[in-house]
Amino acid sequence: MASNDRISLPWTTRVRDGALSASVWALMRLMRLQSPRFASWVGGFWARRIGPFTSIQRIALRNLALAFPEKSEAERKAIARGMWDNLGRMAGEFVHLDRIWQYNMWEPAKSRIETTGVSNFVAMRTDGKPALVFTAHLANWELPAIAAAAQGLDSAVLFRAPDNSFFADLLFEARSRVMGNLVAASHVAVFELAAVLDQGKHLGILVDQARRGGPQVEFFGRPCSSNPTIARLARLYECPVHGVRVIRLAKGRFRIQCTPPLNLPRDADGKIDVDGSMQMITSVVEGWVRENPEQWTWFYKRWRD
């Protein structure tokens, strides 16, 4: 938010935002003194107790009822509690983004991170081609970008900045230390994304949110819109498209999985079909969510009336 826009806000809003920013800053400094695992536990502990009493809980339960009509209300509430635990843990881990990466491929049991599909990642890094990588808001979704930078993959990440300038600056500063290039979503971002691929780099995109006017896909058997950016770029550049997901494990550990390149559907002219590709990618994400539903962020308005 520009400084002039901020000055034009009501003084009550400025005071509220200032108090919130100061509180978050103090809390982050306190959690920074703890280990990543303990900070994660503290975040999860409080989120499980506070989250279910917020208005967001109603949205999450509504979405869970749409996705899992066969489950009981108690089962859906248990998934929602798991969601809050995951989000709280992410908040605790955020203050340790520069410390959370701990990976030893020779002794995975002693690492915070374990991986599968390493050969797919190595091929991406060494083939000399640009590639598109999609992921979803599962577990700690910051980790794929951290992993790419830590393992020497020349990459960029498309992200959406919060409206609050304090939080936007906070996120950018923390991420810029441990990730590749950061591209903020905007009406001109497409030119930056094209430049990334023109340079032979790899581009990471979160694909599990709706976009008004985007291609219609089925997600958990229900129609919803999707963001076609990744499919349109794949059609334009004819580059491989991989999926990467994170699974939260016990004792503060994670598993990162990288898929082989997807065999995206094509139209009669042999070009990548955007709508069909978004359905394929959405189906992959749905499979991930079904495996670990408590680790997905259920309050996004994926299905709209």
Side-chain angles (χ1 to χ4, degrees):
M1 182 181 293
S3 58
N4 289 339
D5 293 336
R6 181 154 185 81
I7 292 172
S8 66
L9 292 173
W11 71 268
T12 52
T13 302
R14 298 200 301 272
V15 169
R16 182 201 64 193
D17 288 353
L20 179 61
S21 300
S23 300
V24 170
W25 183 88
L27 182 60
M28 288 182 60
R29 291 299 180 271
L30 179 62
M31 296 184 75
R32 181 77 176 177
L33 299 176
Q34 314 302 324
S35 69
R37 183 176 172 183
F38 184 74
S40 173
W41 178 86
V42 170
F45 176 86
W46 285 110
R48 289 194 308 273
R49 282 151 180 79
I50 297 172
F53 298 99
T54 66
S55 60
I56 293 173
Q57 174 81 349
R58 292 194 297 273
I59 301 173
L61 291 177
R62 175 184 178 275
N63 286 340
L64 281 163
L66 293 172
F68 296 114
E70 74 282 3
K71 292 186 182 294
S72 67
E73 183 179 358
E75 289 175 314
R76 293 194 289 264
K77 285 184 176 180
I79 294 173
R81 282 196 300 274
M83 177 198 73
W84 286 114
D85 178 76
N86 182 68
L87 291 173
R89 288 180 178 275
M90 264 206 76
E93 291 153 2
F94 175 78
V95 302
H96 295 286
L97 281 188
D98 59 338
R99 302 174 181 174
I100 199 171
W101 182 257
Q102 184 190 12
Y103 173 65
N104 184 339
M105 66 180 298
W106 310 113
E107 294 183 290
K110 296 182 180 179
S111 301
R112 181 176 292 120
I113 312 294
E114 63 180 57
T115 58
T116 59
V118 174
S119 59
N120 299 318
F121 174 84
V122 172
M124 240 198 302
R125 189 176 62 182
T126 59
D127 64 7
K129 302 176 183 178
L132 293 157
V133 180
F134 67 89
T135 189
H137 291 88
L138 278 159
N140 190 323
W141 58 84
E142 307 272 16
L143 280 173
I146 296 173
Q151 298 301 304
L153 187 71
D154 201 355
S155 60
V157 180
L158 178 66
F159 75 100
R160 185 175 298 280
D163 293 332
N164 183 292
S165 59
F166 170 79
F167 289 112
D169 293 343
L170 186 70
L171 286 169
F172 185 84
E173 182 181 356
R175 288 169 171 167
S176 62
R177 296 197 203 108
V178 292
M179 299 181 183
N181 296 339
L182 299 174
V183 180
S186 69
H187 64 284
V188 297
V190 64
F191 299 107
E192 295 184 66
L193 301 181
V196 168
L197 297 174
D198 283 335
Q199 295 168 31
K201 296 182 179 181
H202 306 80
L203 178 63
I205 301 177
L206 285 155
V207 296
D208 55 343
Q209 290 179 281
R211 178 173 173 178
R212 193 178 297 276
Q216 289 290 300
V217 295
E218 280 202 356
F219 188 52
F220 284 86
R222 295 179 178 273
C224 62
S225 64
S226 62
N227 186 333
T229 299
I230 190 168
R232 288 175 177 171
L233 289 171
R235 179 182 174 94
L236 181 63
Y237 283 89
E238 284 288 341
C239 56
V241 176
H242 296 259
V244 174
R245 68 160 164 171
V246 180
I247 301 172
R248 185 179 294 280
L249 306 175
K251 299 180 179 179
R253 302 181 69 247
F254 302 91
R255 180 182 300 127
I256 302 177
Q257 295 182 332
C258 179
T259 73
L262 270 59
N263 185 19
L264 297 176
R266 294 179 178 269
D267 59 22
D269 297 325
K271 299 285 289 181
I272 288 175
D273 180 75
V274 172
D275 290 10
S277 295
M278 288 315 304
Q279 181 59 69
M280 177 178 284
I281 290 170
T282 301
S283 296
V284 171
V285 171
E286 180 182 327
W288 293 346
V289 176
R290 285 186 179 276
E291 285 187 40
N292 298 282
E294 74 285 353
Q295 296 186 18
W296 193 57
T297 310
W298 284 97
F299 54 76
Y300 290 127
K301 295 181 180 179
R302 194 66 205 266
W303 300 282
R304 298 179 184 272
D305 296 334

